[in-house]
Amino acid sequence: MKQSRAMSLVEAVANVVVGYVLAIATQIVVFPWFGIETGLAEHLTIGLAFVGVSLVRGYVLRRLFERGRCPQTVVDLLRRWCFTPAPEASGCGEDEQPRRHP
């Protein structure tokens, strides 16, 4: 049974919330080891800066794997997304070279 988009979002949010709490606790412990002194407000702000990225990452990966339960389908989707013919190809075989997106 496939996971719905709504449940993928719920899972991604739960994952991010747990990760956020762990990240804040880790920052509080690890930052002083590197001489970084910040208050709780700064720790919370730094953690929030990564929440959006983590949420999107978790949701997109979940949907990718739900879309292609077959491992080869996932590989094909990643290959299609990551590699395209170079637009500046001169027609001398260069267009066969994969080009990574930044």
Side-chain angles (χ1 to χ4, degrees):
M1 177 182 345
K2 284 190 167 190
Q3 185 178 51
S4 71
R5 290 176 189 229
M7 285 309 296
S8 292
L9 182 59
V10 169
E11 179 182 341
V13 169
N15 189 18
V16 169
V17 168
V18 169
Y20 178 70
V21 170
L22 288 173
I24 299 304
T26 302
Q27 286 172 205
I28 290 170
V29 171
V30 172
F31 276 22
W33 296 348
F34 293 93
I36 302 170
E37 297 297 330
T38 60
L40 182 59
E42 287 84 10
H43 283 298
L44 296 174
T45 303
I46 291 167
L48 281 175
F50 293 99
V51 165
V53 173
S54 296
L55 181 60
V56 171
R57 181 204 65 221
Y59 180 77
V60 168
L61 285 175
R62 169 58 63 184
R63 295 314 308 161
L64 177 68
F65 280 90
E66 282 296 323
R67 184 175 182 189
R69 288 208 176 245
C70 171
Q72 187 57 46
T73 303
V74 173
V75 169
D76 291 342
L77 287 169
L78 287 171
R79 187 176 293 134
R80 196 173 333 141
W81 184 78
C82 293
F83 296 98
T84 59
E88 64 275 358
S90 66
C92 299
E94 294 174 17
D95 56 344
E96 296 174 2
Q97 299 293 326
R99 180 173 174 250
R100 280 196 69 72
H101 289 279

